[in-house]
PDB file of all heavy atoms in Angstrom:
ATOM      1  N   VAL A 409      88.268 163.132 196.505  1.00 95.00           N
ATOM      2  CA  VAL A 409      88.939 164.046 195.604  1.00 95.00           C
ATOM      3  C   VAL A 409      89.264 163.365 194.379  1.00 95.00           C
ATOM      4  O   VAL A 409      89.897 162.336 194.288  1.00 95.00           O
ATOM      5  CB  VAL A 409      90.247 164.592 196.268  1.00 95.00           C
ATOM      6  CG1 VAL A 409      90.930 165.546 195.314  1.00 95.00           C
ATOM      7  CG2 VAL A 409      89.919 165.338 197.637  1.00 95.00           C
ATOM      8  N   ARG A 410      88.773 163.922 193.244  1.00 94.00           N
ATOM      9  CA  ARG A 410      89.014 163.333 191.833  1.00 94.00           C
ATOM     10  C   ARG A 410      89.988 164.129 191.135  1.00 94.00           C
ATOM     11  O   ARG A 410      89.728 165.355 190.904  1.00 94.00           O
ATOM     12  CB  ARG A 410      87.679 163.246 191.124  1.00 94.00           C
ATOM     13  CG  ARG A 410      87.861 162.569 189.785  1.00 94.00           C
ATOM     14  CD  ARG A 410      86.596 162.617 188.882  1.00 94.00           C
ATOM     15  NE  ARG A 410      85.499 161.971 189.625  1.00 94.00           N
ATOM     16  CZ  ARG A 410      84.187 162.282 189.326  1.00 94.00           C
ATOM     17  NH1 ARG A 410      83.880 163.250 188.519  1.00 94.00           N
ATOM     18  NH2 ARG A 410      83.289 161.599 189.949  1.00 94.00           N
ATOM     19  N   LEU A 411      91.118 163.592 190.772  1.00 92.00           N
ATOM     20  CA  LEU A 411      92.133 164.359 190.022  1.00 92.00           C
ATOM     21  C   LEU A 411      91.567 164.523 188.533  1.00 92.00           C
ATOM     22  O   LEU A 411      90.858 163.664 188.094  1.00 92.00           O
ATOM     23  CB  LEU A 411      93.417 163.525 189.976  1.00 92.00           C
ATOM     24  CG  LEU A 411      94.069 163.214 191.267  1.00 92.00           C
ATOM     25  CD1 LEU A 411      95.353 162.500 191.095  1.00 92.00           C
ATOM     26  CD2 LEU A 411      94.261 164.474 192.131  1.00 92.00           C
ATOM     27  N   GLY A 412      91.918 165.649 187.940  1.00 87.00           N
ATOM     28  CA  GLY A 412      91.377 165.858 186.622  1.00 87.00           C
ATOM     29  C   GLY A 412      92.504 166.268 185.636  1.00 87.00           C
ATOM     30  O   GLY A 412      93.689 166.249 185.962  1.00 87.00           O
ATOM     31  N   PRO A 413      92.075 166.596 184.405  1.00 83.00           N
ATOM     32  CA  PRO A 413      93.054 167.095 183.435  1.00 83.00           C
ATOM     33  C   PRO A 413      93.850 168.242 183.980  1.00 83.00           C
ATOM     34  O   PRO A 413      93.361 169.080 184.763  1.00 83.00           O
ATOM     35  CB  PRO A 413      92.224 167.461 182.236  1.00 83.00           C
ATOM     36  CG  PRO A 413      90.844 166.851 182.451  1.00 83.00           C
ATOM     37  CD  PRO A 413      90.735 166.678 183.929  1.00 83.00           C
ATOM     38  N   GLY A 414      95.090 168.323 183.556  1.00 68.00           N
ATOM     39  CA  GLY A 414      95.941 169.394 184.017  1.00 68.00           C
ATOM     40  C   GLY A 414      96.675 169.027 185.320  1.00 68.00           C
ATOM     41  O   GLY A 414      97.284 169.880 185.959  1.00 68.00           O
ATOM     42  N   ALA A 415      96.578 167.763 185.733  1.00 57.00           N
ATOM     43  CA  ALA A 415      97.206 167.337 186.977  1.00 57.00           C
ATOM     44  C   ALA A 415      98.542 166.701 186.677  1.00 57.00           C
ATOM     45  O   ALA A 415      98.889 165.688 187.204  1.00 57.00           O
ATOM     46  CB  ALA A 415      96.246 166.266 187.677  1.00 57.00           C
ATOM     47  N   ALA A 416      99.289 167.300 185.805  1.00 57.00           N
ATOM     48  CA  ALA A 416     100.620 166.788 185.480  1.00 57.00           C
ATOM     49  C   ALA A 416     101.497 166.874 186.729  1.00 57.00           C
ATOM     50  O   ALA A 416     101.421 167.803 187.523  1.00 57.00           O
ATOM     51  CB  ALA A 416     101.221 167.619 184.410  1.00 57.00           C
ATOM     52  N   ALA A 417     102.345 165.916 186.850  1.00 53.00           N
ATOM     53  CA  ALA A 417     103.211 165.850 188.023  1.00 53.00           C
ATOM     54  C   ALA A 417     104.151 167.005 188.089  1.00 53.00           C
ATOM     55  O   ALA A 417     104.725 167.416 187.049  1.00 53.00           O
ATOM     56  CB  ALA A 417     104.012 164.587 187.981  1.00 53.00           C
ATOM     57  N   ARG A 418     104.339 167.631 189.283  1.00 51.00           N
ATOM     58  CA  ARG A 418     105.250 168.682 189.482  1.00 51.00           C
ATOM     59  C   ARG A 418     106.593 168.112 189.686  1.00 51.00           C
ATOM     60  O   ARG A 418     106.719 167.055 190.223  1.00 51.00           O
ATOM     61  CB  ARG A 418     104.897 169.458 190.749  1.00 51.00           C
ATOM     62  CG  ARG A 418     103.884 170.530 190.528  1.00 51.00           C
ATOM     63  CD  ARG A 418     103.859 171.299 191.890  1.00 51.00           C
ATOM     64  NE  ARG A 418     103.923 170.408 192.982  1.00 51.00           N
ATOM     65  CZ  ARG A 418     103.084 170.353 194.003  1.00 51.00           C
ATOM     66  NH1 ARG A 418     102.083 171.188 194.057  1.00 51.00           N
ATOM     67  NH2 ARG A 418     103.212 169.472 194.942  1.00 51.00           N
ATOM     68  N   ARG A 419     107.628 168.896 189.364  1.00 49.00           N
ATOM     69  CA  ARG A 419     108.939 168.419 189.610  1.00 49.00           C
ATOM     70  C   ARG A 419     109.709 169.608 190.366  1.00 49.00           C
ATOM     71  O   ARG A 419     109.433 170.674 190.120  1.00 49.00           O
ATOM     72  CB  ARG A 419     109.709 168.184 188.254  1.00 49.00           C
ATOM     73  CG  ARG A 419     109.051 167.175 187.393  1.00 49.00           C
ATOM     74  CD  ARG A 419     109.772 167.079 186.084  1.00 49.00           C
ATOM     75  NE  ARG A 419     110.342 168.397 185.723  1.00 49.00           N
ATOM     76  CZ  ARG A 419     110.793 168.683 184.483  1.00 49.00           C
ATOM     77  NH1 ARG A 419     110.682 167.838 183.532  1.00 49.00           N
ATOM     78  NH2 ARG A 419     111.207 169.897 184.244  1.00 49.00           N
ATOM     79  N   SER A 420     110.520 169.121 191.300  1.00 45.00           N
ATOM     80  CA  SER A 420     111.179 170.118 192.105  1.00 45.00           C
ATOM     81  C   SER A 420     112.125 170.975 191.175  1.00 45.00           C
ATOM     82  O   SER A 420     112.384 172.100 191.533  1.00 45.00           O
ATOM     83  CB  SER A 420     111.981 169.539 193.226  1.00 45.00           C
ATOM     84  OG  SER A 420     112.964 168.659 192.718  1.00 45.00           O
TER      85      SER A 420
END
Side-chain angles (χ1 to χ4, degrees):
V409 177
R410 180 187 301 154
L411 304 181
R418 273 189 321 233
R419 302 176 327 196
S420 62

